[in-house]
Amino acid sequence: MDVSLLSRASAEVVDLHRFFVDWFDRRRADTTDFARFEHVIGEGFSMIPPSGQWLDRDAVLDHVRASRATFDGDFAISIEDIRLGWGTGDVIVLTYIEAQRHAGKQSRRRSSAVFTTNSSAPNGVEWRHLHETWLQMPED
């Protein structure tokens, strides 16, 4: 497995979550390009959020598009503990912890993400599958 694939996929995880923070923030949403998100979510993408529901690419795009500017500067995401799960050729699986803070409340989830190479994507990879599991559910 190509070491640069690991670094490109790791950068993509961090960059996409930076996009989410900007997209969801009322003050920055107008200057955030949704096309970046659409471009890195590969055809056939699927996601299993912590609820266990199965979402296809269109459902994820629709949800994120509809959630634009829903927070008022009180949302942050940090990415921790990125690890190689598996990789070969132009496919890699990463695991990482996503810590969110919103309005003073925190949550944490462990994610496993599958990426394939795509030379036209910002970091040279696109998301193919994402599975998230709660480590710490959002506080009430």
Side-chain angles (χ1 to χ4, degrees):
M1 196 231 19
D2 182 0
V3 173
S4 71
L5 181 55
L6 174 60
S7 63
R8 288 182 288 145
S10 297
E12 176 56 32
V13 168
V14 172
D15 289 351
L16 187 66
H17 288 85
R18 219 176 269 140
F19 160 83
F20 289 141
V21 171
D22 291 345
W23 181 255
F24 296 147
D25 187 317
R26 279 190 188 101
R27 294 173 294 175
R28 296 192 298 257
D30 286 344
T31 59
T32 304
D33 184 8
F34 190 79
R36 193 257 185 240
F37 180 59
E38 286 179 301
H39 190 71
V40 298
I41 301 302
E43 291 301 320
F45 174 82
S46 60
M47 175 182 178
I48 301 171
S51 66
Q53 185 179 6
W54 185 88
L55 304 171
D56 65 12
R57 182 179 190 269
D58 289 340
V60 172
L61 292 175
D62 290 348
H63 173 74
V64 172
R65 188 180 290 112
S67 300
R68 181 185 163 278
T70 53
F71 298 136
D72 200 16
D74 58 351
F75 181 62
I77 298 175
S78 63
I79 301 299
E80 306 165 359
D81 197 25
I82 297 176
R83 295 182 188 205
L84 172 64
W86 176 85
T88 186
D90 65 350
V91 179
I92 190 168
V93 177
L94 293 185
T95 65
Y96 59 91
I97 295 173
E98 175 184 340
Q100 291 188 9
R101 184 179 40 75
H102 174 245
K105 298 175 194 255
Q106 297 184 23
S107 67
R108 292 169 54 86
R109 63 189 82 189
R110 182 177 309 277
S111 299
S112 295
V114 178
F115 297 91
T116 56
T117 59
N118 177 340
S119 61
S120 69
N123 287 304
V125 296
E126 63 184 12
W127 296 75
R128 305 299 299 185
H129 180 74
L130 176 64
H131 190 143
E132 301 177 323
T133 302
W134 287 125
L135 294 175
Q136 174 191 5
M137 293 185 64
E139 302 164 342
D140 291 330

